[in-house]
Amino acid sequence: MTGLSSPDPLKFAFTAKIAAHASRGGARPLALDDKGWQRWWQEATGARDRALYIHIPFCKKRCSFCNFFENGANPARMSRYMAALCENLRQGAETPLAQSAPFAAVYVGGGTPTDMAAGDLARLAEVIQRFPLTQDAELTLEGRLNGFDEQKWQTALAGGFNRFSFGVQSFDTQVRQQAARIDERERVLARLAELTRVDEAVIVADLIFGLPGQDDAIWRQDIADVMASGVHGVDLYQLIPMPGTHLDRAQDKGRLGWAADGPQRATMYGYGAQTLEQGGWQRLSCSHWRRTDSEQSRYNQMAKGGAEILPFGAGAGGNVHGHGLMYGRDLTPWHQALAAGRRAPGMVMGRNPHAELDALLRGALDTGGLVLALLPDDVKAQLLPLFQAWQQHGLAVLTGERLELTLAGRFWTINLQAGLFEYVQLNPPAGADAASAHPTGAAGHSLV
């Protein structure tokens, strides 16, 4: 949790990145029958910040590094799903829960939402507008450039989408082919140029470092390409080997080929972050930078900061009335439940009594800095030894009332967040109240 003492913490503070996300954990699943579920949606929210997450669990092709692939993008199957999803959204939009406060962001993710037909995209855009949205609401459509033609682009714009996040991963044709991406480098760059020629919407590109065959020279070119592409924002994600992927199977069979190791990936992150910032790009989080102020990355910041997120769709996750939600991924029971007017299968978690503090800590570390004055005095005293250890190991700098992560700390931020939550559970603050002693949500919202 403190990291290792090393002359090069960027490369060696930890042995590996442990996960994609970090949380305190400890909440228990709750029983929630259909009556309780319906009653839940009749209650107004108490949340200040709200967003919608809409899940489209279909992909035209499975990327080699992905273990989230759920369903092939069969047109008829997708259209059936979109019809059911839009009806579910329409019903949800009419509830007191949805109408009780506006939504500042909508994120349509997957999967590959851009694989849906233009007509389905138009219907989805129309039903989203039934929800109370803030005047400047951020509406993001996630996907890939391949297949996102001019008809879909114009349909999305007309429907109110104002932000698009495309998984580029790498511009290098050979690296892309090995990762099972579809288009070659020239086509990707040309399409980005077309979409950014006029600032009709915010365009964001995701890059992954550590892909097989992606050496330092290719990564440097990837950074140069994205900076020259016209996009408004960029994410830099480290490749995390996951079980069940094509990469994992190729490695087991000895067919993976060369790929950067952990210290090399750390160097790649350092090069990308420093080059972007030296080029005038502003860091919004440890993995996201923007070229212009038009890019807000609002949904991502809200999700990390504990906003209420209403989820829709098989496989969607969010939180409502302080409870975590995760719908099951299997399409058959999802369709059956919605057709019968029942709650879609999934899991509901008990309240986290530390939710506000956890969101503050997670959101701050995700951006790379924490104002210590925002912490209760007992929590600040509790965490100070951990922060001092991070500073000793080159992962953070304590300056007055602020903790600022170093470049190394930003690279290892998920490990730091996981370590922090482990630390607070092992070292409760003096005088912890009764709720802190029972982090399983026993005093949570009445659901049944």
Side-chain angles (χ1 to χ4, degrees):
M1 68 183 70
T2 63
L4 304 173
S5 178
S6 166
D8 193 342
L10 176 63
K11 294 181 180 179
F12 303 114
F14 294 91
T15 56
K17 185 176 179 180
I18 59 174
H21 307 284
S23 64
R24 185 190 298 252
R28 294 175 179 172
L30 296 180
L32 181 63
D33 63 17
D34 290 336
K35 290 183 179 179
W37 177 251
Q38 295 298 332
R39 187 163 61 248
W40 203 5
W41 283 78
Q42 298 306 309
E43 297 182 15
T45 185
R48 296 186 303 271
D49 301 315
R50 309 182 81 198
L52 292 174
Y53 177 75
I54 302 168
H55 195 60
I56 314 296
F58 297 90
C59 291
K60 183 184 303 182
K61 192 172 184 181
R62 179 171 183 170
C63 298
S64 64
F65 51 81
C66 179
N67 72 341
F68 300 112
F69 184 89
E70 297 170 73
N71 307 283
N74 174 278
R77 197 180 190 196
M78 285 192 73
S79 288
R80 177 179 179 238
Y81 175 85
M82 292 305 302
L85 176 64
C86 287
E87 176 59 20
N88 186 223
L89 282 161
R90 185 193 64 77
Q91 294 174 2
E94 296 172 354
T95 63
L97 173 62
Q99 292 294 325
S100 57
F103 296 85
V106 179
Y107 196 96
V108 180
T112 310
T114 51
D115 282 346
M116 77 177 87
D120 290 330
L121 178 56
R123 284 184 282 276
L124 176 62
E126 186 277 329
V127 77
I128 287 172
Q129 296 298 326
R130 294 174 178 261
F131 288 83
L133 306 177
T134 62
Q135 187 173 2
D136 64 342
E138 174 191 274
L139 275 63
T140 300
L141 182 67
E142 182 183 65
R144 74 173 88 210
L145 291 163
N146 178 270
F148 190 63
D149 57 23
E150 194 63 19
Q151 182 185 12
K152 291 183 182 181
W153 167 244
Q154 295 300 331
T155 298
L157 292 177
F161 285 98
N162 52 24
R163 185 176 183 271
F164 298 82
S165 180
F166 295 109
V168 172
Q169 321 313 0
S170 175
F171 290 96
D172 185 85
T173 298
Q174 290 185 330
V175 171
R176 290 177 56 79
Q177 288 175 346
Q178 188 167 354
R181 305 301 289 178
I182 298 174
D183 291 324
E184 70 284 354
R185 175 178 185 272
E186 291 73 18
R187 178 56 189 148
V188 173
L189 288 169
R191 187 58 177 145
L192 286 178
E194 292 168 358
L195 296 179
T196 58
R197 185 170 294 116
V198 178
D199 285 334
E200 296 178 277
V202 170
I203 306 296
V204 176
D206 294 346
L207 296 181
I208 293 178
F209 54 93
L211 291 165
Q214 184 190 45
D215 59 21
D216 288 339
I218 290 174
W219 178 242
R220 288 194 294 270
Q221 187 61 53
D222 281 337
I223 295 298
D225 285 342
V226 80
M227 293 178 71
S229 68
V231 299
H232 304 86
V234 60
D235 291 292
L236 305 184
Y237 295 126
Q238 178 183 186
L239 176 68
I240 302 176
M242 295 183 179
T245 65
H246 291 329
L247 285 184
D248 180 56
R249 287 189 284 272
Q251 186 172 26
D252 288 344
K253 296 178 180 179
R255 299 175 182 173
L256 182 60
W258 182 88
D261 59 17
Q264 289 170 313
R265 293 197 296 270
T267 300
M268 287 173 154
Y269 173 84
Y271 175 83
Q274 292 173 324
T275 303
L276 286 166
E277 290 165 25
Q278 289 167 2
W281 290 58
Q282 180 187 6
R283 175 171 53 84
L284 294 184
S285 76
C286 294
S287 60
H288 187 79
W289 290 259
R290 67 178 181 184
R291 180 177 59 85
T292 70
D293 291 345
S294 59
E295 161 60 342
Q296 297 292 314
S297 191
R298 185 179 297 166
Y299 175 85
N300 293 324
Q301 294 187 52
M302 293 176 69
K304 299 285 177 58
E308 181 172 77
I309 297 176
L310 270 61
F312 290 88
N319 65 88
V320 182
H321 292 313
H323 295 271
L325 295 178
M326 179 59 70
Y327 293 121
R329 294 184 177 187
D330 192 334
L331 291 183
T332 298
W334 182 84
H335 276 291
Q336 291 173 342
L338 265 60
R342 302 194 310 269
R343 175 177 70 90
M347 183 176 293
V348 182
M349 306 303 294
R351 281 181 181 271
N352 173 11
H354 313 285
E356 187 172 350
L357 174 62
D358 289 359
L360 168 64
L361 293 169
R362 187 185 302 108
L365 292 182
D366 185 65
T367 63
L370 170 64
V371 178
L372 300 181
L374 297 176
L375 300 176
D377 289 342
D378 59 339
V379 174
K380 183 164 62 175
Q382 173 195 22
L383 293 177
L384 194 57
L386 177 64
F387 295 161
Q388 290 170 338
W390 287 354
Q391 180 170 248
Q392 291 172 1
H393 294 159
L395 297 167
V397 176
L398 280 167
T399 55
E401 285 296 304
R402 184 172 177 83
L403 174 81
E404 192 72 30
L405 299 187
T406 63
L407 178 67
R410 296 196 295 272
F411 175 69
W412 295 109
T413 182
I414 297 299
N415 293 56
L416 297 185
Q417 292 177 42
L420 184 149
F421 290 128
E422 179 183 0
Y423 181 87
V424 296
Q425 289 181 302
L426 294 174
N427 301 277
D433 58 25
S436 298
H438 300 282
T440 57
H445 192 85
S446 176
L447 298 177
V448 294

